[in-house]
């Protein structure tokens, strides 16, 4: 399985965050529309990500539900027919819920920086430090912590769990 170190946080000023991320990445970022369907499974999380362009990814991942930098292990399988795959998985496993978002992706070093506008939740950011084979979890956590500081992300804004968990809990950005 592949792995990364992730953090997720609420963003109160998306324009200011985007400006900092653009400066650090030396790009304006890439806009991606995503529709994630989460399926019932015995361990971890299983989601089908429809990229709204005829392609998608089936993603299984496991990570602890804690705030701050945490290790996530995942497997990804691309699909050219997310709609029919959604039907098969829905009928066989059952749907836990759906998340629709617009993601602005910035690449900073080995880190994927996401500025997400999540339907029903509001504005969030995610850092995904893509781990190199020789790196320790602690090194990945340090990369995430350093980037949090550069982007002005406070520890108080960190959130736990996936967007799906926040939606199921009824959390809303105020």
């Amino acid at each position: 399985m592949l792995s990364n170190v992730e953090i997720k946080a609420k963003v109160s000023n998306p324009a200011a965050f985007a400006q900092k991320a653009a400066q650090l990445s030396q790009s304006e970022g890439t806009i991606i529309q995503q529709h994630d369907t989460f399926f019932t499974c015995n361990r971890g999380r299983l989601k089908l990500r429809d990229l709204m362009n005829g392609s998608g990814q089936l993603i299984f991942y496991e990570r602890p539900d804690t705030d701050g930098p945490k290790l996530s292990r995942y497997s990804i399988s691309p699909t050219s027919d997310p709609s029919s795959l959604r039907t098969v998985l829905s009928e066989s496993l059952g749907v836990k819920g759906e998340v629709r978002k617009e993601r602005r992706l910035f690449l900073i070093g080995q880190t994927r920086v996401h500025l997400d506008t999540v339907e029903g939740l509001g504005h969030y950011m995610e850092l995904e430090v893509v781990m190199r084979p020789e790196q320790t979890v602690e090194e990945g956590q340090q990369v995430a912590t350093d980037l949090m500081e550069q982007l002005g992300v406070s520890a108080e804004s960190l959130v736990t769990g996936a967007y799906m968990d926040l939606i199921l809990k009824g959390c809303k950005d105020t």
Side-chain angles (χ1 to χ4, degrees):
M1 285 181 102
L2 301 170
S3 64
N4 61 29
V5 170
E6 296 185 16
I7 66 152
K8 185 186 316 281
K10 285 183 126 181
V11 173
S12 58
N13 187 338
F17 181 87
Q19 183 178 23
K20 288 178 188 175
Q23 288 171 346
L24 290 170
S25 69
Q26 299 179 349
S27 82
E28 291 304 309
T30 303
I31 303 291
I32 307 167
Q33 300 297 323
Q34 296 180 342
H35 175 193
D36 293 345
T37 304
F38 284 77
F39 301 97
T40 306
C41 64
N42 291 331
R43 65 181 180 91
R45 292 181 175 95
L46 180 66
K47 68 181 171 186
L48 176 64
R49 172 161 289 158
D50 187 336
L51 297 171
M52 311 307 290
N53 64 3
S55 70
Q57 301 169 320
L58 184 62
I59 304 168
F60 170 77
Y61 66 101
E62 294 178 298
R63 73 167 180 245
D65 287 331
T66 58
D67 61 13
K70 56 200 155 277
L71 183 67
S72 176
R73 298 188 186 280
Y74 60 95
S75 297
I76 299 176
S77 178
T79 180
S80 59
D81 192 356
S83 180
S84 67
L85 185 55
R86 179 182 299 107
T87 299
V88 170
L89 291 169
S90 297
E91 291 173 357
S92 62
L93 299 175
V95 173
K96 186 175 181 180
E98 297 182 25
V99 176
R100 294 175 190 273
K101 65 181 171 280
E102 179 179 275
R103 169 164 284 174
R104 190 166 169 189
L105 168 65
F106 301 91
L107 300 175
I108 302 173
Q110 71 188 90
T111 306
R112 296 171 55 89
V113 177
H114 305 146
L115 175 58
D116 293 335
T117 303
V118 184
E119 189 175 292
L121 288 180
H123 302 287
Y124 289 80
M125 61 75 58
E126 287 183 344
L127 302 181
E128 293 178 353
V129 181
V130 180
M131 299 296 291
R132 297 184 183 118
E134 72 278 3
Q135 280 183 307
T136 65
V137 174
E138 293 77 19
E139 289 171 329
Q141 290 172 328
Q142 189 60 55
V143 171
T145 301
D146 292 346
L147 197 48
M148 277 177 56
E149 187 176 313
Q150 292 174 37
L151 290 166
V153 177
S154 69
E156 297 78 37
S157 65
L158 295 176
V159 296
T160 61
Y163 293 135
M164 185 75 262
D165 300 327
L166 296 175
I167 289 171
L168 291 173
K169 287 179 189 173
C171 294
K172 295 235 186 311
D173 200 13
T174 55

